[in-house]
Coordinates of all heavy atoms in Angstrom, one line a residue:
I1 N 0.9 -1.1 0.0 CA 0.0 0.0 0.0 C 0.9 1.2 0.0 O 1.9 1.3 0.8 CB -0.9 0.0 1.2 CG1 -1.9 -1.2 1.0 CG2 -1.6 1.4 1.4 CD1 -3.1 -1.2 1.9
Y2 N 0.6 2.1 -0.9 CA 1.4 3.3 -1.1 C 0.6 4.5 -0.4 O -0.3 5.0 -0.9 CB 1.6 3.6 -2.5 CG 2.5 4.6 -2.9 CD1 3.9 4.6 -2.5 CD2 2.2 5.7 -3.6 CE1 4.8 5.5 -2.8 CE2 3.1 6.7 -3.9 CZ 4.4 6.6 -3.5 OH 5.4 7.6 -3.8
P3 N 1.1 4.9 0.8 CA 0.4 6.0 1.6 C 0.2 7.3 0.8 O -0.7 8.0 1.1 CB 1.4 6.2 2.8 CG 2.2 5.0 2.9 CD 2.3 4.5 1.5
L4 N 1.1 7.6 -0.1 CA 0.9 8.9 -0.9 C -0.4 8.9 -1.7 O -0.8 10.0 -2.1 CB 2.1 9.2 -1.6 CG 3.4 9.5 -0.8 CD1 4.6 9.7 -1.7 CD2 3.2 10.6 0.1
V5 N -0.9 7.8 -2.0 CA -2.1 7.7 -2.8 C -3.4 8.1 -1.9 O -4.4 8.6 -2.4 CB -2.3 6.3 -3.4 CG1 -3.7 6.2 -4.1 CG2 -1.2 6.1 -4.3
F6 N -3.3 7.9 -0.7 CA -4.4 8.2 0.3 C -4.9 9.6 0.2 O -6.1 9.8 0.0 CB -4.0 7.9 1.7 CG -4.1 6.4 2.0 CD1 -3.4 5.5 1.3 CD2 -5.0 5.9 3.0 CE1 -3.4 4.1 1.6 CE2 -5.1 4.6 3.2 CZ -4.3 3.7 2.5
P7 N -4.1 10.7 0.2 CA -4.6 12.0 0.2 C -5.2 12.3 -1.3 O -6.2 13.0 -1.4 CB -3.3 12.9 0.3 CG -2.4 12.1 1.1 CD -2.7 10.7 0.6
Q8 N -4.7 11.7 -2.3 CA -5.3 11.9 -3.6 C -6.7 11.3 -3.7 O -7.5 11.7 -4.5 CB -4.4 11.2 -4.7 CG -3.0 11.8 -4.8 CD -2.1 11.1 -5.8 OE1 -2.5 9.9 -6.2 NE2 -1.0 11.7 -6.0
S9 N -6.9 10.3 -2.8 CA -8.2 9.6 -2.7 C -9.1 10.3 -1.7 O -10.1 9.7 -1.2 CB -8.1 8.1 -2.5 OG -7.3 7.6 -3.5
R10 N -8.7 11.4 -1.2 CA -9.4 12.2 -0.1 C -9.5 11.4 1.2 O -10.5 11.5 1.9 CB -10.8 12.6 -0.6 CG -10.7 13.5 -1.8 CD -12.0 14.0 -2.2 NE -11.8 14.9 -3.4 CZ -12.8 15.1 -4.3 NH1 -14.0 14.5 -4.1 NH2 -12.5 15.8 -5.3
V11 N -8.5 10.6 1.5 CA -8.3 10.0 2.7 C -7.4 10.7 3.6 O -6.2 11.0 3.2 CB -7.8 8.5 2.6 CG1 -7.6 7.9 3.9 CG2 -8.8 7.7 1.8
K12 N -7.8 11.1 4.8 CA -7.0 11.8 5.8 C -5.9 10.9 6.4 O -6.3 10.0 7.1 CB -7.8 12.6 6.8 CG -8.7 13.6 6.2 CD -9.6 14.2 7.3 CE -10.6 15.2 6.7 NZ -11.5 15.7 7.7
L13 N -4.6 11.2 6.2 CA -3.6 10.3 6.8 C -3.6 10.4 8.3 O -3.3 9.4 9.0 CB -2.2 10.7 6.3 CG -1.9 10.2 4.8 CD1 -0.6 10.7 4.4 CD2 -2.0 8.7 4.8
E14 N -4.1 11.5 8.8 CA -4.1 11.6 10.3 C -5.2 10.8 10.9 O -5.3 10.5 12.1 CB -4.3 13.1 10.8 CG -5.6 13.8 10.3 CD -5.4 14.5 9.0 OE1 -4.4 14.3 8.3 OE2 -6.3 15.2 8.7

Side-chain angles (χ1 to χ4, degrees):
I1 295 198
Y2 191 61
L4 296 178
V5 174
F6 281 59
Q8 294 173 353
S9 301
R10 298 186 182 155
V11 173
K12 297 177 183 175
L13 283 178
E14 62 270 11

